[in-house]
């Protein structure tokens, strides 16, 4: 009897299948279409913080609308933490729920392990949106591998104009139609480990130098091991977000505000993240093109504006 083989032979052990799409939202829409085929009477469970823009629409919600999918929201706090009790309540009250967990700005929820354990224990179908968290998964290994599927959006982390990956974690796979493919093999020509390290360095540098600014809330003040940030989100509690955003951009510092406009169903909703955070949030750049010298200049400019 062969107890241990001389080399690994199990072709399916620890296997993930990577399926390229021209857009990450197309991958999400194909999941919904396949789930609908299997469970016609279903509901998608969405976080209560989903953005929209005139140029891009909504990567999460447009596929929901396009597939006429019934939906419900689960509550996020003002700092985008999941209300676990509300999530469970919404799921239990739904028929054939499919849940999407969004790892905003590269950060899985602080209760991520508790949440996915509960979902698995209760046989709830869920997908991980790692559009911002590709390197928190690929390099950090802290999210993305628990859901049935995981989704990357390449242009959120790399100098791509578009492109997305659907990662099949081989946990209750669906019959996904590959009707929109792209050649994204060049992703592996980038030194992803180095990009991960630079983004972490830049984030920590900013944290060390803006934590003393009064009137702002840093959404994620601690950079835990394995996390790779997409940006550094702050809430400008005592300032006009739009004025700060436009002034810093006019000085050559590329801020974004994710997300400055909510989808229609969340406007004027009961969720504080949608009615407050979206009006006060802005995101400082930490990407791999940023140098410490230029980040230092941005910090000085930010402090001058917020005097």
């Amino acid at each position: 009897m062969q107890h241990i083989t001389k080399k690994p032979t199990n072709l399916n052990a620890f296997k993930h299948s990577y399926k390229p799409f021209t857009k990450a939202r197309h991958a999400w829409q194909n999941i919904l279409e396949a789930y609908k085929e299997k469970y016609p009477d279903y509901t998608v469970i969405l976080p209560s913080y989903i953005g929209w823009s005139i140029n891009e629409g909504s990567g999460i919600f447009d596929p929901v609308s396009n597939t006429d999918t019934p939906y419900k929201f689960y509550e996020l706090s003002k700092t985008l933490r999941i209300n676990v009790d509300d999530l469970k309540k919404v799921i239990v009250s739904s028929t054939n729920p499919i849940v999407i967990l969004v790892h905003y700005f590269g950060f899985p929820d602080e209760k991520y392990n508790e949440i996915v354990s509960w979902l698995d224990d209760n046989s709830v179908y869920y997908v991980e949106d790692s559009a911002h968290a590709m390197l928190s998964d690929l390099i950090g290994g802290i999210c993305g591998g628990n859901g049935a599927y995981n989704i990357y959006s390449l242009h959120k982390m790399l100098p791509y104009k578009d492109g997305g990956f659907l990662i099949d974690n081989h946990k209750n796979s669906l019959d996904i139609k590959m009707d929109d493919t792209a050649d994204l093999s060049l992703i592996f020509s980038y030194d992803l480990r180095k990009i991960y390290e630079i983004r972490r360095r830049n984030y920590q540098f900013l944290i060390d130098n803006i934590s003393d600014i009064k009137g702002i809330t840093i959404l994620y003040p601690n950079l835990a091991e394995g996390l790779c940030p997409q940006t550094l989100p702050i809430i400008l509690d005592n300032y006009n977000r739009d004025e700060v955003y436009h002034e810093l951009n006019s000085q050559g510092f590329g801020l974004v505000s994710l997300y400055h406009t909510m989808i229609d169903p969340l406007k004027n909703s009961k969720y504080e993240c949608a009615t407050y955070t979206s009006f006060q949030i802005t995101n400082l750049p930490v990407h791999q093109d940023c140098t410490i010298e230029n980040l230092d200049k941005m910090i000085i400019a930010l402090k001058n504006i917020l005097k």
Side-chain angles (χ1 to χ4, degrees):
M1 176 184 290
Q2 184 77 49
H3 295 288
I4 301 177
T5 58
K6 294 183 178 181
K7 63 178 184 177
T9 59
N10 188 341
L11 295 176
N12 294 315
F14 312 106
K15 183 179 181 181
H16 303 275
S17 299
Y18 289 76
K19 302 178 181 181
F21 285 81
T22 56
K23 292 179 181 291
R25 67 185 61 195
H26 294 170
W28 172 227
Q29 182 160 323
N30 279 21
I31 291 173
L32 291 175
E33 289 172 345
Y35 196 79
K36 186 176 185 178
E37 284 286 325
K38 190 172 184 179
Y39 303 105
D41 184 17
Y42 75 116
T43 304
V44 65
I45 313 300
L46 304 168
S48 59
Y49 191 74
I50 299 176
W52 173 90
S53 74
I54 193 169
N55 293 323
E56 297 184 2
S58 174
I60 292 176
F61 196 67
D62 285 352
V64 174
S65 298
N66 294 342
T67 54
D68 294 319
T69 298
Y71 59 87
K72 294 181 182 179
F73 296 109
Y74 60 89
E75 182 181 17
L76 304 185
S77 71
K78 186 168 74 171
T79 55
L80 305 184
R81 272 53 171 188
I82 295 174
N83 181 331
V84 178
D85 289 338
D86 187 65
L87 173 63
K88 292 178 181 179
K89 180 180 177 182
V90 174
I91 290 171
V92 169
S93 67
S94 303
T95 303
N96 294 319
I98 174 172
V99 179
I100 186 164
L101 299 177
V102 180
H103 305 316
Y104 293 101
F105 318 120
F107 292 77
D109 193 86
E110 292 170 353
K111 296 183 177 179
Y112 170 76
N113 290 329
E114 174 190 338
I115 291 167
V116 297
S117 292
W118 185 87
L119 293 172
D120 289 337
D121 289 345
N122 289 273
S123 301
V124 178
Y125 204 94
Y126 64 101
V127 174
E128 299 190 52
D129 181 340
S130 298
H132 294 170
M134 181 176 76
L135 297 184
S136 294
D137 175 22
L138 276 178
I139 306 300
I142 60 170
C143 61
N146 291 293
Y149 291 96
N150 186 23
I151 300 171
Y152 297 159
S153 180
L154 300 188
H155 71 94
K156 303 290 176 63
M157 302 297 289
L158 297 172
Y160 277 74
K161 290 184 178 180
D162 230 319
F165 270 114
L166 175 62
I167 299 91
D168 185 345
N169 289 326
H170 296 285
K171 299 179 179 180
N172 199 3
S173 300
L174 300 168
D175 184 15
I176 300 292
K177 295 184 174 76
M178 293 300 296
D179 55 2
D180 169 40
T181 61
D183 182 4
L184 301 177
S185 57
L186 283 177
I187 179 179
F188 299 109
S189 67
Y190 288 95
D191 187 340
L192 299 180
R193 164 67 67 172
K194 188 65 175 178
I195 292 171
Y196 166 91
E197 292 171 351
I198 292 172
R199 283 176 171 269
R200 285 181 56 85
R201 178 204 68 185
N202 291 344
Y203 192 97
Q204 191 61 56
F205 180 79
L206 288 178
I207 289 293
D208 291 342
N209 287 280
I210 68 170
S211 296
D212 61 341
I213 299 177
K214 296 188 184 330
I216 70 170
T217 299
I218 300 170
L219 286 188
Y220 306 98
N222 300 308
L223 188 62
E225 186 175 352
L227 286 166
C228 183
Q230 181 256 352
T231 52
L232 194 161
I234 59 175
I235 296 177
L236 297 164
D237 294 294
N238 298 333
Y239 305 95
N240 184 304
R241 186 270 311 279
D242 293 339
E243 290 181 2
V244 174
Y245 167 87
H246 288 299
E247 179 59 29
L248 279 174
N249 272 284
S250 72
Q251 294 186 35
F253 303 107
L255 272 67
V256 295
S257 292
L258 303 173
Y259 296 96
H260 55 78
T261 303
M262 294 284 96
I263 58 173
D264 285 342
L266 288 173
K267 292 179 180 177
N268 304 313
S269 68
K270 64 180 180 179
Y271 304 109
E272 193 174 17
C273 59
T275 59
Y276 177 80
T277 305
S278 66
F279 288 93
Q280 303 300 129
I281 194 170
T282 197
N283 302 69
L284 305 178
V286 299
H287 59 74
Q288 54 269 29
D289 293 352
C290 300
T291 64
I292 294 297
E293 179 184 3
N294 285 328
L295 289 175
D296 192 45
K297 292 177 181 178
M298 181 179 69
I299 292 166
I300 293 171
L302 176 63
K303 289 183 174 181
N304 285 334
I305 294 169
L306 301 183
K307 281 182 179 178

